Amino acid sequence: MTVRGTSGAKGPRGVDLHHARQLETTVYERIPVTTLPRTLNDIAPTLRPHVLKAAVRQAEIQHRLDLSTVQAKPALRTFLAGYVSVLGVANEFEADFLELCVRHDIPRPESQYEIPPYRVDFCWPAERVIVETDGRASHGGFVASKDDRVRVRFLKRLDYDVLPFTYEEVTQTPAAVAAEVRAALRLRRPPSLHA
């Protein structure tokens, strides 16, 4: 059972009491309960994959939960990555790139990753590799073109490898894009502690 607050009080025998500063709740049959997204986030780290899959499936089908709108925490995000490609992405082009990663066994990157003052489309922080999915609509024109170059120079000064890909590359030559991303990740992978 989860309750709002940080008092540390213990529950009655047989009840594990958890405390949370913020608690997203709703009412079910006149009983306050946590929302479905909150419940899934809470249980994801503790359940075996097949049990979590059953819970997510029930939430999606029986309760009409749109999984693409869930603000997933790491354990739930990892599970959902194989099913919902658009989690945490800004548009369909970025969703296409995430699907490319899944199809070509590329580790899932962080989406909409902040490197102040910028936010990049995708990043593998340990390898310091960035992928930008550059659509003509948002990256065409003189101002956007100059801004993009300034941004890339800034990121390179921070030792990031920046790989920009067009929509055509991601959708028409995905194998070539995947090979380039894999090569960059391999070159930039931190040395193993056991090496």
Side-chain angles (χ1 to χ4, degrees):
M1 179 178 289
T2 305
V3 295
R4 188 178 282 116
T6 58
S7 70
K10 303 233 186 262
R13 190 176 355 169
V15 175
D16 288 330
L17 199 58
H18 303 275
H19 302 272
R21 284 194 174 92
Q22 293 183 327
L23 196 57
E24 302 83 27
T25 61
T26 187
V27 176
Y28 180 74
E29 294 185 0
R30 298 185 300 167
I31 300 171
V33 296
T34 54
T35 61
L36 270 175
R38 171 64 192 239
T39 301
L40 291 174
N41 273 310
D42 286 349
I43 65 175
T46 64
L47 295 182
R48 293 183 179 200
H50 72 281
V51 178
L52 179 58
K53 182 177 182 179
V56 169
R57 184 176 176 161
Q58 183 176 11
E60 186 178 29
I61 295 172
Q62 187 174 343
H63 300 284
R64 305 276 190 264
L65 178 64
D66 181 354
L67 295 177
S68 68
T69 66
V70 173
Q71 295 295 315
K73 292 180 182 175
L76 183 60
R77 185 183 304 128
T78 299
F79 173 80
L80 291 177
Y83 300 97
V84 186
S85 63
V86 294
L87 285 174
V89 297
N91 56 48
E92 282 187 39
F93 180 14
E94 292 181 17
D96 290 337
F97 179 76
L98 280 182
E99 287 176 10
L100 179 151
C101 289
V102 171
R103 281 196 317 271
H104 293 272
D105 293 321
I106 295 171
R108 185 180 174 91
E110 297 285 336
S111 302
Q112 297 300 306
Y113 188 77
E114 287 195 34
I115 304 171
Y118 298 109
R119 181 189 300 255
V120 299
D121 293 336
F122 300 103
C123 183
W124 290 265
E127 291 83 359
R128 299 184 81 77
V129 171
I130 291 170
V131 163
E132 292 280 56
T133 47
D134 295 343
R136 200 173 303 149
S138 57
H139 292 267
F142 294 110
V143 175
S145 178
K146 180 185 175 190
D147 284 349
D148 285 348
R149 282 165 174 73
V150 169
R151 171 186 171 111
V152 167
R153 289 196 303 269
F154 173 84
L155 294 168
K156 286 188 174 188
R157 281 196 306 274
L158 295 179
D159 195 34
Y160 283 94
D161 191 359
V162 183
L163 306 174
F165 293 109
T166 65
Y167 175 79
E168 288 76 20
E169 287 177 297
V170 169
T171 58
Q172 295 174 17
T173 57
V177 170
E180 196 169 337
V181 171
R182 268 199 304 270
L185 291 173
R186 195 168 39 250
L187 284 172
R188 308 275 300 203
R189 190 158 290 135
S192 169
L193 294 175
H194 304 291

